[in-house]
Amino acid sequence: MAHDHSHKGHSHAHHHIGPEAGDARVIWAIAVNMFLTLAQVVGGIFSGSLALIADALHNFSDAIALVIAFFARKIARRPADPRMSFGYGRAEVVAALVNYTTLIVLSVYLFYEGVMRFFEPEPVNGWMVVWIAALALIVDLITAALTYTMAKDSMNIRAAFLHNVADALGSVAVIVAGTAVILFNWTWVDPAVTIMISVYILWHVKSEIGETIRVLMMAAPPDLDPEEVASAIEDVQGVSGVHHVHLWSMQEREPALTAHLVVNAAAWADAEGVRDSVRQSLRDRFGISHATLELEQADRACVEPSRFGHTEGKA
């Protein structure tokens, strides 16, 4: 399936952005981050500040995160084909996982650097560091503004956006640390703030990465209760039971369901109508527009079936 931003059956009050406009925003975000990386490397060399060069690495990772996000968006819009019958929408989910993983690696590296600096403090040349970090903060805020609206609807862009928020915090840390060195000669502020930021990034990733893994692991969407969905199917007139229910996300915010539908003997003559009613109920109540339902007559249904999933050895 082509990547669908309409979110059928959902009443989310998000402002949707057209694919081309979204792409343009991401390209601008990449451009400003590449420019900033160059400025910070040059500034770091001239001021002798390792903190600035480290911050440049973070901004470069921002740009790479956005490049990954950009190409994932492009791939996700491809139509389905025989080899990729579910479409390419999950490219964005895979990209999100890649970006979150690099964030974890960066955070651990930041933590390590921060601890090492307590033991080996390094001199910071204050003013140039503060000015370039201020420029970095402005660019980070511009990038965050470009991707903020899109981040609500895409875990892929949300991962890149989180890279940016982490980077903005890094820039604030460099400003605070530079100012502390200028005013009080407190070299310990730089590593202390660095460690705090690395912990903050890891905490944020922990709350976001779970949903990405759940989608890839075919888990039920967190906002849908599988038992509630199964019970709603059984509430439809003519349905005597449901089993082998699989509820998962095709991609972010696109729930899908397959199930075996047991139809009463009395309603079997209109089994197709019963199935249509179930489909309508799933669409209206839960926003599930992709449902595959196998019909079974009550007296010929699976023997001792599992309610959710398929159990080995059962019909």
Side-chain angles (χ1 to χ4, degrees), residues 60-82:
F60 186 63
S61 83
D62 270 359
I64 297 301
L66 287 162
V67 168
I68 292 168
F70 175 79
F71 283 108
R73 278 168 59 81
K74 285 282 193 190
I75 293 166
R77 290 199 289 269
R78 286 184 190 171
D81 58 49

Side-chain angles (χ1 to χ4, degrees), residues 257-311:
L257 176 139
T258 62
H260 289 204
L261 204 61
V262 183
V263 179
N264 291 333
W268 185 248
D270 187 34
E272 292 289 339
V274 172
R275 180 157 60 187
D276 289 343
S277 299
V278 170
R279 281 211 176 102
Q280 191 65 47
S281 173
L282 289 170
R283 193 178 293 116
D284 294 346
R285 285 188 63 176
F286 306 105
I288 301 170
S289 56
H290 186 97
T292 305
L293 302 165
E294 184 176 321
L295 295 172
E296 292 180 7
Q297 199 169 341
D299 56 353
R300 296 182 187 175
C302 296
V303 181
E304 295 181 32
S306 52
R307 188 160 173 80
F308 295 99
H310 278 71
T311 306

Side-chain angles (χ1 to χ4, degrees), residues 126-127 130 173-186:
W127 287 111
V130 168
V174 175
I175 291 169
V176 168
T179 306
V181 170
I182 292 164
L183 297 179
F184 312 110
N185 205 29
W186 288 349

